[in-house]
Amino acid sequence: MKNPFTYSLSISGFVKVCLLIVLSCSLGTLMAQDSTATARGAKKKTPVKSTGTAKDTAAASPAFKKNPYVKNTFEGNYIIDNQTVMVPIKGTFEFVIQHRFGIVNNGFSDLFGIFYGANIMFSFNYVPVNNLQVGFAVTNENMTVDWNLKYALLKQTKDGSVPVSITYYGNVAMDTRKKDSVNLFSPTADRFSYYSEIIIARKFSDKFSLQVSPNISAFNNSAGYIDVNGNQDPKWSGVHFSIGASGRYKISDGSAIIANYDQSLAQQSGNIPRPNISFGMEFKTSGHDFEVFFGNYSSLLPQNNNLYNPNDFTKGQFLIGFNISRLWNF
């Protein structure tokens, strides 16, 4: 069916041509010399009738509506130890390697923790539909596997009508170590832990972005003890609240300064999880995101960090870590 905009353009062109013919005839001989001079001195613009092609149709159609959302609040899914508010576009597959060395306190004896030992995690994430990412990860820490989900609930808009982006992230982790005298795991449910957070972020400028993420961690099985009356009591609550804050400041098109701060909101009896301070550099290419940093968190599961972190930054108990992610789109 012929585009109505193209039809209007054709009628307009035809009317213009008719008017030009009438005007030329009425002027007659008086304009002959001037017309000849004009033809020799300059090219006269003649309206062109639409051919009804796709090109003409596109030219006559209304302008394409631009995406109203703010882009690239953060460069990738991770900012040091925390998830970011970002969810990649539909069809994106991501492979992530995360690495945490030992603390630097031993100096050259173990090359500042690099030869001490390391926690390593491999993550596989995919975006099957818009705004939803699902993932699977494995780590050598307690031979844990986890399944995770990330969903963009709200996106910051360019006109400011929506001032922040909000994303949900959660995981279910399973300790897969073999059952023995130390790791009893009497019911299978004791192997599971859980983590949920709401990430609230804002991109303040092309260079600076900030987010906060209140979160909750839960464990089906936690350490306990026998009191003086012979009763079995838990060492700490299986549910724990924390909050994290993360920021990025771009110093060039492909690099940025990044930082995290994570704070426990409840001190547990017999256990004092230490807060996390971390800072580093991020380097971005078209398909890779690389981060290298110093921080206090040694685990690669957020629930473990929030409840069990033993590293005290006031005593210089930092460690070196890095994240590498690679994206493909299908």
Side-chain angles (χ1 to χ4, degrees), residues 191-264:
R191 296 178 178 272
F192 288 91
S193 63
Y194 314 89
Y195 178 80
S196 288
E197 68 178 339
I198 294 293
I199 310 168
I200 305 166
R202 178 172 173 81
K203 186 175 184 179
F204 290 91
S205 69
D206 288 339
K207 291 186 176 182
F208 179 61
S209 299
L210 183 67
Q211 69 174 37
V212 293
S213 49
N215 56 75
I216 180 172
S217 304
F219 293 80
N220 284 349
N221 184 31
S222 59
Y225 62 94
I226 305 297
D227 64 17
V228 294
N229 299 318
N231 298 319
Q232 183 176 344
D233 294 322
K235 189 176 181 180
W236 50 74
S237 170
V239 178
H240 189 80
F241 294 92
S242 301
I243 189 167
S246 305
R248 179 194 68 161
Y249 186 83
K250 293 184 69 174
I251 57 177
S252 71
D253 289 341
S255 61
I257 299 170
I258 52 177
N260 279 353
Y261 181 75
D262 299 276
Q263 175 66 57
S264 169

Side-chain angles (χ1 to χ4, degrees), residues 61-288:
S61 299
F64 179 74
K65 187 176 180 181
K66 294 182 179 179
N67 190 328
Y69 301 118
V70 169
K71 295 182 179 180
N72 302 326
T73 302
F74 294 94
E75 291 296 346
N77 270 328
Y78 299 86
I79 181 165
I80 306 182
D81 296 297
N82 293 333
Q83 289 281 332
T84 72
V85 76
M86 302 299 293
V87 175
I89 63 173
K90 178 182 176 181
T92 299
F93 175 78
E94 179 184 43
F95 173 58
V96 185
I97 301 173
Q98 295 175 275
H99 205 107
R100 304 293 183 271
F101 296 102
I103 59 175
V104 301
N105 295 48
N106 294 327
F108 282 103
S109 63
D110 60 7
L111 198 57
F112 300 96
I114 292 177
F115 295 149
Y116 177 81
N119 284 331
I120 305 170
M121 176 178 279
F122 300 112
S123 302
F124 308 87
N125 305 312
Y126 184 66
V127 184
V129 297
N130 289 331
N131 302 321
L132 174 66
Q133 176 182 279
V134 292
F136 172 77
V138 293
T139 177
N140 63 324
E141 181 185 7
N142 297 335
M143 300 305 294
T144 303
V145 299
D146 81 82
W147 300 264
N148 55 76
L149 178 147
K150 193 175 186 181
Y151 187 75
L153 301 169
L154 203 63
K155 295 182 180 181
Q156 181 182 346
T157 56
K158 295 177 182 178
D159 63 5
S161 58
V162 180
V164 297
S165 297
I166 301 177
T167 296
Y168 168 80
Y169 173 81
N171 75 33
V172 177
M174 180 179 182
D175 186 329
T176 65
R177 287 176 294 173
K178 184 178 179 180
K179 181 178 178 179
D180 55 28
S181 58
V182 177
N183 305 306
L184 298 177
F185 301 122
S186 182
T188 301
D190 283 354
R191 296 178 178 272
F192 288 91
S193 63
Y194 314 89
Y195 178 80
S196 288
E197 68 178 339
I198 294 293
I199 310 168
I200 305 166
R202 178 172 173 81
K203 186 175 184 179
F204 290 91
S205 69
D206 288 339
K207 291 186 176 182
F208 179 61
S209 299
L210 183 67
Q211 69 174 37
V212 293
S213 49
N215 56 75
I216 180 172
S217 304
F219 293 80
N220 284 349
N221 184 31
S222 59
Y225 62 94
I226 305 297
D227 64 17
V228 294
N229 299 318
N231 298 319
Q232 183 176 344
D233 294 322
K235 189 176 181 180
W236 50 74
S237 170
V239 178
H240 189 80
F241 294 92
S242 301
I243 189 167
S246 305
R248 179 194 68 161
Y249 186 83
K250 293 184 69 174
I251 57 177
S252 71
D253 289 341
S255 61
I257 299 170
I258 52 177
N260 279 353
Y261 181 75
D262 299 276
Q263 175 66 57
S264 169
L265 297 180
Q267 297 299 315
Q268 302 280 5
S269 175
N271 181 59
I272 305 176
R274 305 294 182 181
N276 171 51
I277 294 178
S278 52
F279 51 92
M281 292 291 298
E282 178 183 46
F283 304 95
K284 177 72 175 179
T285 65
S286 59
H288 295 80

Side-chain angles (χ1 to χ4, degrees), residues 48-66:
V48 179
K49 295 177 66 176
S50 172
T51 60
T53 62
K55 184 177 180 180
D56 293 329
T57 302
S61 299
F64 179 74
K65 187 176 180 181
K66 294 182 179 179

Side-chain angles (χ1 to χ4, degrees), residues 1-12 50 52 56-57 60-62:
M1 180 176 179
K2 194 171 184 179
N3 190 305
F5 292 99
T6 303
Y7 180 76
S8 298
L9 183 60
S10 301
I11 295 298
S12 175
S50 172
D56 293 329
T57 302
S61 299

